[in-house]
Amino acid sequence: MSTKRLTYIALCASLIAALTFFCVPTPWGVPITGQTLAVLVTGLLLSPVDAFFAVLLYITMGIIGLPVFSGAKSGIGVLLGPTGGYIYSFLIGVYILSLFAQKNKPILGSLVFTAIVYLVGSFQLAITTNSTFLHALKIGMLPFLPGDFLKIYLSFVIAKRLVPLFKTQNQKA
Amino acid sequence: MAFDVTLGQYIPGESFVHRLDPRTKLIMALALIVVLFMIESFIGYLWVAGFLLLAIINGDIPLSSITRGLKPLTLIILLTVILNIFFTEGTQVLWQWKFIKITQEGIAKGLLLGVRLILLILSTTIMTLTTSPLAITDGLEYLLSPLKKLKFPAHELSMMLTIALRFIPTLLEETDKIIKAQMARGADFESGNLFRRAQNMVPLLVPLFVSAFRRADDLATAMESRCYRGGEGRTRLNELVFQRADYFVLGIVLPVLVLVVVLF
């Protein structure tokens, strides 16, 4: 692993962590956090393995006690808890998103990413709260969907501006 | 930021538990998790609880930090206990109403699973409360290094973790600065419909990402010009060395835990 790859992955991980603190309130009550946005941009810009590592680092930071999960929470309890699935599913999601992005299908990729996160997340929500999967989808997905589409849109705008910069810099290396 | 992000939950201290090698604490936390899944009796849990209590008292860990670690799981713990109490089949029926019955076995099982969950969280929380994130990162690298033979990037991961830890506060500060700078240029983050507002975030997020990647670039250059070439043959200023206390914990406390599993 080159030094450059190393620092890029590390900085993406800290961007995900830093943007988790970034919260925009919405009229329908569920705040939009920057965490998913940063994960999306990571997936769009880095290679599949690198994006996977960036998210892995972010989750490890949370496990070893840094308040980087939404609501400044941390610890393995969050991952095992009702909302844990929405966090560790980023791992698979971001890998697949990046695969799609490299094949020039970023839109399909981010939809698949969103689907994976909600399937895994709602599955855990359903199990841990002993409710049905449909009910979990209703409370764990519907309120968040509008915000997610906004985030996908934003991540595209940002990634588009960053790609040229990325290319010139990596050519220099 | 009201709290120091890089320290996380860590509460600095000088106790026996604090001074243990991070590797010892990682091994113990892992061992406790395994042990808790193997024990199926209250006496066994009592041993583990006593052991954790000693660590809490010794580490001078405030009760509030422990409850904070347990909070996200309150709902699950309660549900596990209640569901098991009501829906476990058993012979000793204590109370019955239609299909719902409370049996002695149910109460025992519900409480057992509840206690197990609480102890599970406690054992990892105690580690993160008494060990700084950087120390844990170091410990992880040491423990994972045998996996290097299988091409697992143990050194790279811990290096990246260290870098990420170092840059979170910087990026938070940067976000704050960019927000203020764009507001000074007349950016408006509060009015307009949601789509408009999301769009107004672009002049904020793009500079943030650009500056983060520029930092990554500079850092790579700086590391390479100081001849960083990965983990191979790298020496460290502070080597992790097992002390007498670590041998005591790994040599005596760990076998006692194993004995508890065998006996109970």
Side-chain angles (χ1 to χ4, degrees):
Chain A
M1 195 179 279
S2 74
T3 315
K4 197 149 203 169
R5 258 180 84 194
L6 199 115
T7 54
Y8 269 70
I9 298 172
L11 262 292
C12 277
S14 34
L15 267 175
I16 300 173
L19 278 181
T20 305
F21 292 98
F22 188 74
C23 231
V24 182
T26 58
W28 59 88
V30 186
I32 298 179
T33 66
Q35 171 202 36
T36 331
L37 178 73
V39 175
L40 282 166
V41 176
T42 304
L44 289 172
L45 291 176
L46 297 186
S47 75
V49 178
D50 292 8
F52 176 86
F53 273 132
V55 174
L56 184 70
L57 284 179
Y58 165 68
I59 294 175
T60 314
M61 286 193 275
I63 294 178
I64 64 176
L66 296 161
V68 293
F69 294 147
S70 61
K73 289 198 199 96
S74 64
I76 202 152
V78 180
L79 287 180
L80 297 174
T83 57
Y86 297 110
I87 298 173
Y88 62 73
S89 56
F90 285 156
L91 275 176
I92 331 157
V94 86
Y95 185 84
I96 293 174
L97 166 63
S98 173
L99 275 183
F100 275 103
Q102 288 197 327
K103 291 199 176 114
N104 261 329
K105 287 184 187 126
I107 298 179
L108 188 63
S110 30
L111 292 180
V112 174
F113 170 85
T114 312
I116 291 174
V117 171
Y118 281 121
L119 281 179
V120 178
S122 305
F123 188 66
Q124 175 154 350
L125 185 68
I127 292 180
T128 50
T129 56
N130 211 48
S131 55
T132 62
F133 185 63
L134 272 181
H135 183 68
L137 275 181
K138 211 190 290 172
I139 56 168
M141 180 174 86
L142 284 186
F144 296 93
L145 268 187
D148 277 323
F149 286 121
L150 272 181
K151 276 183 241 179
I152 290 177
Y153 166 74
L154 272 181
S155 71
F156 274 62
V157 176
I158 295 166
K160 213 173 166 185
R161 299 248 197 122
L162 289 176
V163 164
L165 186 99
F166 232 70
K167 277 194 183 135
T168 51
Q169 276 178 353
N170 286 335
Q171 268 159 12
K172 261 191 287 171
Chain B
M1 296 279 35
F3 55 96
D4 191 346
V5 188
T6 42
L7 280 184
Q9 301 177 315
Y10 174 57
I11 306 166
E14 275 299 314
S15 72
F16 178 81
V17 181
H18 277 90
R19 275 182 287 119
L20 279 179
D21 193 289
R23 285 172 292 176
T24 311
K25 284 186 266 193
L26 278 164
I27 295 173
M28 287 311 285
L30 205 69
L32 277 168
I33 291 173
V34 176
V35 162
L36 280 168
F37 273 108
M38 290 168 73
I39 299 178
E40 297 212 325
S41 69
F42 279 114
I43 308 172
Y45 287 158
L46 215 59
W47 275 88
V48 177
F51 172 75
L52 290 176
L53 197 67
L54 273 180
I56 292 173
I57 294 170
N58 177 275
D60 213 4
I61 300 169
L63 205 64
S64 59
S65 355
I66 292 171
T67 46
R68 207 178 313 137
L70 285 172
K71 233 192 214 155
L73 281 179
T74 327
L75 189 70
I76 303 190
I77 294 171
L78 281 178
L79 267 168
T80 329
V81 175
I82 291 167
L83 284 172
N84 275 290
I85 285 180
F86 282 108
F87 295 107
T88 306
E89 293 293 321
T91 44
Q92 298 273 357
V93 178
L94 297 177
W95 178 84
Q96 188 161 17
W97 178 78
K98 287 180 186 164
F99 61 93
I100 298 172
K101 54 183 173 186
I102 298 181
T103 63
Q104 216 159 15
E105 288 89 343
I107 293 180
K109 197 174 169 209
L111 288 179
L112 212 63
L113 289 177
V115 171
R116 176 189 279 173
L117 265 175
I118 293 175
L119 292 178
L120 268 179
I121 305 303
L122 271 186
S123 29
T124 51
T125 310
I126 291 174
M127 178 188 74
T128 53
L129 284 172
T130 58
T131 324
S132 78
L134 275 179
I136 298 182
T137 310
D138 266 359
L140 272 177
E141 181 181 350
Y142 271 90
L143 287 179
L144 292 177
S145 54
L147 292 177
K148 273 182 202 159
K149 292 212 176 73
L150 302 170
K151 296 223 166 144
F152 182 81
H155 164 77
E156 282 80 2
L157 269 186
S158 85
M159 177 52 98
M160 289 190 284
L161 203 54
T162 315
I163 298 174
L165 289 176
R166 152 75 182 76
F167 277 99
I168 294 175
T170 316
L171 290 182
L172 284 173
E173 216 172 277
E174 193 108 330
T175 318
D176 196 51
K177 239 189 246 166
I178 297 172
I179 291 179
K180 287 192 179 125
Q182 298 290 32
M183 274 162 84
R185 288 171 178 78
D188 181 7
F189 300 118
E190 261 125 48
S191 61
N193 64 20
L194 207 67
F195 189 70
R196 199 62 260 139
R197 248 191 281 176
Q199 237 169 2
N200 289 345
M201 292 289 152
V202 174
L204 200 161
L205 292 166
V206 170
L208 181 66
F209 278 88
V210 170
S211 96
F213 290 131
R214 191 174 298 147
R215 274 174 203 282
D217 245 13
D218 291 349
L219 185 65
T221 314
M223 282 166 78
E224 266 166 8
S225 54
R226 283 166 182 73
C227 296
Y228 174 80
R229 52 191 169 85
E232 222 156 301
R234 189 163 185 245
T235 55
R236 355 170 114 245
L237 179 60
N238 301 309
E239 295 268 357
L240 287 182
V241 183
F242 277 134
Q243 304 293 325
R244 207 181 295 161
D246 299 295
Y247 288 118
F248 168 73
V249 171
L250 292 175
I252 297 176
V253 183
L254 192 62
V256 169
L257 272 176
V258 176
L259 205 66
V260 170
V261 177
V262 178
L263 289 178
F264 306 105

